[in-house]
Amino acid sequence: MRDLVRQAPLVLQVTERFRGLIQRGDWAVGARIPGEHQLAGDLGVSRGTVREALRALSTTGLLEPRIGDGTYVRATDEITGVLVRDEVAAGLTAVLDARAGLEAAAARLAARQAKSDAVAALEDALAARAAAHEARDRAGYVAADAAFHRGVVVASGNPLLLRLFDAVEGVIHQSIEDTAVFPEDPDVRDAHAAIVRAIRARDAEGAVAASYGLIDGVKEYM
């Protein structure tokens, strides 16, 4: 690890090094990281420098110091870190409303591009979703539905929207789990297909309407 340069402030360099270890998964979420003494020795810096870097990442929510037990990885990015650090808890309706805004924005952008590979991925996710529903495979159904909604965001081509989606993927997945019912409401099923049709047809406003309609249908069925 001893390849730090001296031009930039050492604390900043060490902070970014630790951030990279978290983002690559070398320091996994939930794992306890090495102690200050070991980290300082590995990098050839003072324990004070390491301590400041760890404090900076704890402030953003990526790390969690536990008195008498060490420091643990809490999240892989700052958005998730803030949610976890501040223990933000939202009701299901609030989560669905937030999803509607994010997914409608993504669907509009996806329709403006209508890339064939993105549309094909959405159709594959719909097929997997239908097959799991037919088989009464709840876990497979939830996974396919989550893949579909992430696919819409991927199809938008906007990396920031995708990062936002991935940052709250846990609560989104839980909302899908909480609203998955068998048999499925036909209106909810049709709304998924309507999103794909609108994206394929480059109908941006139709894609937005279908996205909001999907969430409204889920809320009504609840």
Side-chain angles (χ1 to χ4, degrees):
M1 295 177 70
R2 292 171 178 266
D3 58 349
L4 299 177
V5 296
R6 296 290 170 175
Q7 289 83 351
L10 275 178
V11 170
L12 178 60
Q13 293 184 65
V14 173
T15 301
E16 291 307 306
R17 176 63 61 84
F18 294 163
R19 189 192 310 277
L21 291 171
I22 294 170
Q23 292 175 340
R24 290 196 305 271
D26 295 337
W27 288 358
V29 173
R32 183 172 62 182
I33 68 172
E36 290 179 4
H37 180 76
Q38 179 180 335
L39 292 171
D42 289 343
L43 291 174
V45 299
S46 70
R47 290 184 64 180
T49 297
V50 169
R51 189 175 302 117
E52 287 300 314
L54 296 179
R55 182 179 294 118
L57 294 177
S58 297
T59 299
T60 63
L62 270 64
L63 295 176
E64 177 189 8
R66 300 178 186 176
I67 298 176
D69 190 28
T71 300
Y72 287 76
V73 179
R74 210 172 195 183
T76 58
D77 62 81
E78 284 78 359
I79 298 175
T80 306
V82 169
L83 292 175
V84 174
R85 182 196 65 199
D86 295 342
E87 297 180 348
V88 175
L92 180 56
T93 298
V95 172
L96 291 173
D97 287 339
R99 276 184 55 192
L102 176 59
E103 294 176 22
R108 173 186 280 119
L109 292 174
R112 289 174 177 171
Q113 301 181 65
K115 293 182 178 179
S116 58
D117 56 342
V119 173
L122 291 175
E123 291 172 338
D124 288 345
L126 277 187
R129 188 177 181 278
H133 181 271
E134 183 67 23
R136 295 298 187 267
D137 175 5
R138 183 182 178 84
Y141 173 85
V142 170
D145 194 57
F148 173 84
H149 290 288
R150 188 178 189 276
V152 172
V153 183
V154 170
S156 76
N158 186 309
L160 182 55
L161 282 180
L162 182 58
R163 184 175 180 186
L164 289 170
F165 185 93
D166 286 343
V168 293
E169 186 175 15
V171 293
I172 289 176
H173 193 279
Q174 188 60 53
S175 73
I176 294 172
E177 176 75 37
D178 291 343
T179 57
V181 293
F182 289 78
E184 180 181 35
D185 178 7
D187 289 340
V188 171
R189 178 199 61 211
D190 294 344
H192 283 79
I195 292 172
V196 178
R197 285 197 303 272
I199 292 174
R200 187 193 301 112
R202 296 181 178 272
D203 179 4
E205 295 314 309
V208 170
S211 296
Y212 278 114
L214 169 58
I215 297 299
D216 287 342
V218 170
K219 289 165 68 176
E220 288 175 9
Y221 199 69
M222 288 164 51

